[in-house]
Amino acid sequence: MKIVILTHSSFSHVNAIENTVKSLCKKYEVFCFLEEEYINIYGEDKNLHYIAYHKALDKQLKELLFRHNPFIEKKDVPTIGDLVAEVKYPLEYMLEGSMIYVNDLLPIIKQINPDYILRDACSLFGRVIGDQLNIPVLGYTTSPTFTDLFVESHLRKYLPFSLKRELDTLSDEQINSLYTMIKKQFTQTCTKYGIRTLPLNYLTCPDEKMNFCYGSKRLNFIAQEETKKYLFMKPKIFEVPERIENNKDTIVVSSGSLINFPVKLYNYIINAYKKEPYQVEISQKYFGTDVFKITNLPSHIHFHKYIKQTELLQRAHLLITHGGYNSILEAIYYEVPILVYAITHDQFINSQRIEELNIGFDLRHMELSGYNINKISHKLMDSVEIKEHIKDLKSEIIALHNDEVRKYIDEDYVNGNL
């Protein structure tokens, strides 16, 4: 049996599925499409074939982004029509970009003639290729899955996360009308490109016949009636032998590798911990350059361009993060409470879930100051209840397996569903 895997071209996406790839290689012939820099990332195996995306694709995407960017200027007081337009234009860009990949990859995948395609939620072209070649597609996410059915069952609460907009001024009737109009727009746009309609949260909701995601159900946003469409897999870090220091003496501040915190937040953090006994290790990719300079730091507060986050978390009392999913999983594994300051994409919904699970606090829910950050930090670090919630969640994730996709394919094949 042959399986094609189409993944998004970033390290976190590629790295997250390593154990899944290795599990599939035990039994099947696997073809991984990756950016050239990630070739051989899963090691060598007689059943594993690496195929690099053509470099020309990246150039074409950059040219496409130049034509589409900015997608649309967001208005301070938008009408419902404005909100619909705000989701239409990024979708147009994603679909036009996907068709570039479809045209390039379709002949190659047709020649491979796989029995299954596994595709990252961000790899929309995998959905299109599967449909065109009549190949079963399994979708997966390396961030929390956020399905439309879940949003529909909590529309006022969760639609704002999908749109990255506050909707407090809209009535329930207006919110329902807005959602209906957006879904209609998605159908029209996808029909224009001749593809199956995508869900509103298409970057975190593959919406295939079967999907898989990493972490327990409680970390994902999936309606109860669709749980049979999702397999929950053990994240890679939870396969590592446990290493947690008893001597916790550090506060870790992880700014992110793409977009950093606003400068004022660093000032608040310095003021929050300048008289504390902890080592404070802060990542800021522009530290030491003309973009970001800081002087007269207390001796126990250190800035770095990059940090070895998992090593620091082993002895951390607290993690301050933008709310990326990998950081959340690492904090749970090392049993560290989380302060989150979301910046973009799925980080906002992640911060919501951190509070719902009572494993941390969203800094956007309070007035920022050194005093307030210090106060909430101690509340988290001293809370036995929060630490117990983290341990319960960790145990739940450790109980998961990594062979679920292989088992599903085995069963699907035996039942003659191919």
Side-chain angles (χ1 to χ4, degrees), residues 133-150:
L133 297 180
N134 196 29
I135 298 169
V137 177
L138 278 72
Y140 69 89
T141 57
T142 55
S143 60
T145 298
F146 188 34
T147 73
D148 283 14
L149 198 56
F150 182 89

Side-chain angles (χ1 to χ4, degrees), residues 73-134:
E73 185 177 349
K74 289 190 173 185
K75 297 181 180 179
D76 293 335
V77 185
T79 65
I80 287 180
D82 294 330
L83 293 171
V84 174
E86 285 178 11
V87 298
K88 173 189 174 183
Y89 291 105
L91 177 62
E92 289 265 8
Y93 164 73
M94 291 295 295
L95 291 181
E96 193 172 339
S98 293
M99 298 314 293
I100 292 173
Y101 276 85
V102 170
N103 294 333
D104 188 78
L105 298 179
L106 190 66
I108 304 171
I109 295 176
K110 187 175 182 179
Q111 186 174 7
I112 294 171
N113 191 27
D115 299 283
Y116 282 94
I117 291 175
L118 269 60
R119 65 106 182 167
D120 191 310
C122 296
S123 300
L124 303 182
F125 50 88
R127 180 185 181 99
V128 180
I129 291 171
D131 285 354
Q132 289 193 16
L133 297 180
N134 196 29

Side-chain angles (χ1 to χ4, degrees), residues 4 44 91 109 115-116 128 147 149 176 181 187 199 232 263 285 303 305 354 359 361 394 404 410 412 416 418:
V4 160
E44 295 182 2
L91 177 62
I109 295 176
D115 299 283
Y116 282 94
V128 180
T147 73
L149 198 56
N176 288 329
M181 291 173 66
T187 299
F232 300 97
V263 173
K285 68 177 182 179
F303 275 83
K305 283 189 176 180
I354 284 169
I359 61 173
F361 182 78
K394 176 181 176 179
E404 297 301 315
D410 281 344
D412 204 42
L418 284 179

Side-chain angles (χ1 to χ4, degrees), residues 152 155-156 159 171-181:
E152 288 168 11
L155 206 54
R156 173 166 285 282
L159 185 59
S171 67
D172 289 346
E173 184 179 355
Q174 287 174 314
I175 286 177
N176 288 329
S177 175
L178 170 62
Y179 186 69
T180 299
M181 291 173 66

Side-chain angles (χ1 to χ4, degrees), residues 29 53 60 63 73 80 95 137 139 143 349 356 363 389:
E29 196 172 4
Y53 292 125
Q60 292 178 64
E63 292 172 351
E73 185 177 349
I80 287 180
L95 291 181
V137 177
S143 60
I349 192 70
E356 290 175 352
L363 285 170
H389 286 153

